[in-house]
Amino acid sequence: MSTFTHTPPPSELACEVCGRYPEPAKLRATLANILATLPIELSANALLLETHWPVAVQVVLLGIASTALVIWVAEPGVRRIFRSWLHAPALRRRRELAVAPALWRARATLSDSPGALEHLTHALARLGVNILAIQAQPVRSGVVDELVLSAPGGLTEADLLEALAEGGGEAPRAWPTTPLALIDGPTRALSLAAQVAEAPAELRYAAAELVGAQIVPAERALPDDWHAAGTVLRIPTPWDEPLVLIRPGVPFTPAEIARVSRLAELAEVAEGARRGLG
């Protein structure tokens, strides 16, 4: 297949806002401009030389005619004809980004039995997914595993959920994340504890980040089935208003409840010390 193709590049290369294509590489743009300019310059020179007009007139006419033809006719035509070739590097980079490994966080409940995690690992491996970090929290129904995954860029949330379920995971969840997720749990907990010790009022935000939950006002009425499912966490604080966190669809584990409670105790101690110094 020739390098020069007359088919336009895929529409995903165009800007979603303005519809324009990215600027081509300088070398390719230069070659395209030469292809547009050279035939016009040669043709115009040949025509004007036959007129025997004064040199000054020929130069002026050549400049005006060739410039107008290049700008309005030749260059747009060449860029349209060789659009795929001009934008091939940008298109290649876009496709490479589309299939580049992506980081995900996932959570699923496994049975507390030998081989359960291995079965889940094999199901993920069949999709080319690598487990970068894992935290296990025992619950009454088994073990809640929280995973940081490196997955091929083409995989979707539905693909991961299907693999987690196939691997024996109950109530699976998956969401995109960043390299910050690779910070191990104890380090993250210590960092948040230090944040609360320095500023006790940061308890609400630190606790929500620690367990990946949402803060809601204490007076907000929540569905009874949320409470029954264990997806609502209510913790006393050094202030009059308790801390209420929700995580619909994902019950809080005993370990997570203990961590938030200890964080609240730390805030109470820090707040008491601050008032005493005041």
Side-chain angles (χ1 to χ4, degrees):
M1 180 181 293
S2 171
T3 304
F4 296 91
T5 174
H6 295 270
T7 57
S11 59
E12 72 264 17
L13 188 57
C15 174
E16 295 179 357
V17 178
C18 64
R20 296 180 179 178
Y21 292 97
E23 283 298 316
K26 289 184 178 180
L27 178 59
R28 295 186 180 227
T30 301
L31 291 175
N33 288 334
I34 291 175
L35 287 173
T37 305
L38 191 57
I40 291 177
E41 294 282 358
L42 294 176
S43 301
N45 269 296
L47 291 173
L48 289 172
L49 286 175
E50 294 181 358
T51 63
H52 304 293
W53 291 340
V55 174
V57 174
Q58 291 183 5
V59 170
V60 171
L61 290 176
L62 176 62
I64 294 174
S66 61
T67 301
L69 288 171
V70 166
I71 292 176
W72 297 105
V73 179
E75 187 173 322
V78 168
R79 284 178 174 256
R80 184 172 58 254
I81 293 172
F82 299 116
R83 181 179 293 166
S84 289
W85 177 76
L86 284 170
H87 300 292
L91 181 59
R92 183 168 57 251
R93 287 193 295 270
R94 177 71 62 88
R95 287 172 175 169
E96 289 173 353
L97 287 175
V99 299
L103 290 179
W104 294 78
R105 288 185 66 182
R107 177 186 286 245
T109 302
L110 300 179
S111 62
D112 190 7
S113 60
L117 180 58
E118 182 180 3
H119 187 46
L120 178 67
T121 301
H122 288 168
L124 292 171
R126 282 193 287 271
L127 293 180
V129 177
N130 185 29
I131 299 178
L132 302 180
I134 181 170
Q135 292 186 47
Q137 303 177 40
V139 293
R140 184 174 300 175
S141 58
V143 178
V144 173
D145 283 346
E146 189 162 325
L147 315 167
V148 179
L149 308 173
S150 174
L155 289 185
T156 65
E157 178 184 350
D159 295 327
L160 291 173
L161 292 178
E162 183 178 352
L164 291 169
E166 182 184 344
E170 297 181 4
R173 291 191 65 199
W175 59 95
T177 188
T178 67
L180 294 176
L182 293 173
I183 299 175
D184 63 276
T187 300
R188 183 174 57 168
L190 287 171
S191 298
L192 293 172
Q195 178 182 333
V196 171
E198 183 177 355
E202 293 292 310
L203 169 65
R204 302 170 69 244
Y205 309 104
E209 182 179 346
L210 181 62
V211 295
Q214 178 185 349
I215 307 168
V216 296
E219 66 275 8
R220 175 179 168 182
L222 299 172
D224 292 338
D225 55 343
W226 287 16
H227 291 276
T231 59
V232 178
L233 179 57
R234 192 179 186 92
I235 299 292
T237 69
W239 307 278
D240 294 334
E241 189 175 87
L243 170 64
V244 180
L245 302 175
I246 61 171
R247 201 169 59 188
V250 184
F252 293 99
T253 66
E256 289 175 325
I257 296 173
R259 291 169 189 167
V260 175
S261 299
R262 297 298 177 269
L263 206 59
E265 291 173 5
L266 176 61
E268 184 175 3
V269 172
E271 179 68 13
R274 189 182 66 83
R275 290 174 179 174
L277 292 175

